[in-house]
Amino acid sequence: MSDCEAVLQKVASSEVAPCATLAQKAIAGIREGHHELAQAFVANTLDTTTRRWMSTSLRAEVTSHSPNTRKDPDTYTSRQFFAFAQLQGIYRPYFPDRGDPIPATFNRHAAAHGVSRRQYSRINSGIGAAHLTSWLWFVDTGLSRRS
């Protein structure tokens, strides 16, 4: 969490700074023993920020689990590949109405639709905070480079 806080404090873009503040609040919640609340906050902030800074078509590619809709990984820059690859795991499909078991690993869909001790854990809240930090760093460095 200390590494995440250090990265979030370096956010340079005025567009990303408010989201970095939200991520820091989630980390504070984890440290204070409110990991379930922090995990829900992280999952929603991650979803909000991917919708804000990722095009609809790219978001569909990143969150798709069909090999037919994914771009060839070689078409991404190395920065894009690492940023998007982490998001694919977070957005793995979870359909409770189909009887899918609640994932034990951090998952955006399960955080929204599978509230349970299995999904909401201290470890998952930390993993979610790390993913959010990484995503915000990726967006921030991209925006800062354009300025």
Side-chain angles (χ1 to χ4, degrees):
M1 296 295 89
S2 296
D3 289 342
C4 290
E5 289 171 320
V7 169
L8 293 166
Q9 289 170 359
K10 294 177 185 177
V11 165
S13 165
S14 61
E15 292 177 64
V16 179
C19 298
T21 299
L22 297 176
Q24 290 169 325
K25 288 182 179 189
I27 291 169
I30 294 167
R31 289 185 186 276
E32 293 169 13
H34 304 291
H35 66 268
E36 299 94 343
L37 297 173
Q39 183 173 333
F41 195 51
V42 161
N44 281 308
T45 304
L46 192 53
D47 198 50
T48 298
T49 57
T50 57
R51 288 176 185 279
R52 181 178 301 161
W53 287 303
M54 190 182 287
S55 70
T56 303
S57 60
L58 181 57
R59 193 169 60 250
E61 289 172 26
V62 169
T63 61
S64 172
H65 294 85
S66 167
N68 299 330
T69 59
R70 283 196 205 142
K71 276 173 71 172
D72 180 349
D74 291 337
T75 63
Y76 294 124
T77 67
S78 58
R79 288 185 74 245
Q80 289 172 324
F81 175 79
F82 287 110
F84 302 154
Q86 67 147 344
L87 294 175
Q88 284 183 327
I90 294 167
Y91 281 95
R92 275 189 310 269
Y94 164 66
F95 299 102
D97 52 334
R98 294 184 193 169
D100 288 355
I102 297 171
T105 57
F106 179 72
N107 180 286
R108 207 292 305 165
H109 297 297
H113 309 293
V115 176
S116 70
R117 286 187 169 163
R118 181 171 170 83
Q119 176 56 213
Y120 279 82
S121 66
R122 185 167 169 78
I123 289 173
N124 281 349
S125 65
I127 290 169
H131 282 297
L132 176 59
T133 299
S134 177
W135 170 244
L136 292 176
W137 172 84
F138 172 77
V139 172
D140 182 61
T141 56
L143 291 173
S144 298
R145 287 179 181 172
R146 286 188 226 145
S147 305

